[in-house]
Amino acid sequence: QVRLQESGPGLVKPSETLSLICNVSGDSVTSDYWSWVRQSPAKGLEWIGYMTHSGVTKLNPSLKSRLTISLDTSKNQVSLKLTSVSAADTAVYFCARVRWSGWYSRNHYYYGMDVWGQGTTVTVSS
Amino acid sequence: DIVMTQSPLFLPVTPGEPASISCRSTQSLLHSNGNNYLDWYLQKPGQSPQVLIYLGSKRASGVPDRFSGTGSGTDFTLKISRVEPEDVGVYYCMQALQTPRSFGGGTKLEIK
């Protein structure tokens, strides 16, 4: 059974860097795509970005200048770093597996974001 | 960016009755490979979203067959043939054709 578990600081001060980890069990981060989504009352569900198993990232342009998504294959983790946070970054952050072959695979498949973590709440406040 | 619009916002339903949710996109979600890149997710109270439908009409593993997705291009519908109490929650559509991915604003299904 595939499980995703987000972890992070909970509270971050404005202008500081938010770092989150998604621990993956039951699957390898070297397969599939790995996504981050956040949810706030103001913006609803907001797609943050994804990283492919081959290390390609696609990031939301609204966050791109502050955002890094990376894989740690030795720990089987996906990480998110968001710099210069403000109150607008207060949200529940989810990681999710995207079962997708990509556009150019000979054997195309897509099953959506089929496994989600339970989410971790991040509050930006001094 | 593609904007997703859902209706209605709230959907009170009597158990056993059908329900329908509409989702519209500002651009066609039909890829040249013939697939519509439209997902439906359900977020039950206190839980993470879960995928119900992908590629517009394909039920995800373990999803009851009372859920069905139809539509193509820019207009999509999620139908529940007979609502059950465990179907309460917020339903979201999401386009997966382009980045940034985008979600609809959600439809809250409540039991009458």
Side-chain angles (χ1 to χ4, degrees):
Chain A
Q1 186 181 4
V2 181
R3 288 181 184 264
L4 307 182
Q5 175 84 44
E6 304 91 343
S7 59
L11 180 65
V12 184
K13 289 184 167 54
S15 80
E16 293 190 344
T17 295
L18 165 65
S19 294
L20 298 177
I21 294 288
C22 175
N23 276 296
V24 178
S25 58
D27 191 5
S28 170
V29 297
T30 58
S31 57
D32 296 308
Y33 288 37
W34 304 92
S35 196
W36 287 95
V37 174
R38 67 183 183 181
Q39 185 171 34
S40 63
K43 293 186 177 180
L45 286 171
E46 181 181 19
W47 181 80
I48 296 173
Y50 68 65
M51 185 154 200
T52 74
H53 48 76
S54 55
V56 175
T57 55
K58 287 286 187 182
L59 307 178
N60 193 320
S62 67
L63 300 169
K64 191 173 184 176
S65 63
R66 301 189 290 128
L67 180 63
T68 304
I69 296 177
S70 58
L71 299 182
D72 185 332
T73 56
S74 65
K75 295 180 180 177
N76 215 37
Q77 293 175 341
V78 188
S79 68
L80 175 153
K81 285 191 194 309
L82 187 64
T83 63
S84 304
V85 298
S86 70
D89 297 310
T90 294
V92 178
Y93 286 74
F94 298 97
C95 61
R97 182 179 76 171
V98 185
R99 291 215 55 213
W100 185 30
S101 62
W103 293 118
Y104 306 109
S105 170
R106 195 174 203 180
N107 300 310
H108 176 271
Y109 63 85
Y110 175 80
Y111 298 100
M113 289 190 277
D114 70 332
V115 181
W116 293 64
Q118 86 287 352
T120 187
T121 300
V122 175
T123 302
V124 179
S125 174
S126 54
Chain B
D1 295 0
I2 298 176
V3 176
M4 307 298 292
T5 303
Q6 285 182 237
S7 61
L9 220 56
F10 296 98
L11 186 55
V13 186
T14 301
E17 293 297 302
S20 181
I21 300 170
S22 171
C23 175
R24 289 188 171 173
S25 57
T26 53
Q27 298 177 39
S28 176
L29 303 183
L30 181 62
H31 191 270
S32 57
N33 65 16
N35 292 314
N36 283 283
Y37 284 81
L38 186 283
D39 301 339
W40 289 98
Y41 295 88
L42 165 60
Q43 188 173 27
K44 294 184 177 182
Q47 295 186 19
S48 309
Q50 60 186 89
V51 64
L52 296 175
I53 301 287
Y54 60 93
L55 295 178
S57 62
K58 300 192 184 303
R59 261 191 311 276
S61 176
V63 174
D65 61 8
R66 64 178 181 275
F67 290 93
S68 63
T70 61
S72 184
T74 60
D75 289 333
F76 298 88
T77 303
L78 177 71
K79 295 179 182 174
I80 311 173
S81 59
R82 293 173 308 279
V83 171
E84 299 198 2
E86 61 261 32
D87 298 337
V88 297
V90 183
Y91 291 78
Y92 297 95
C93 59
M94 186 200 83
Q95 65 82 15
L97 183 68
Q98 292 181 8
T99 56
R101 303 287 190 252
S102 43
F103 292 88
T107 295
K108 187 172 185 179
L109 186 147
E110 302 172 336
I111 296 294
K112 280 185 186 174

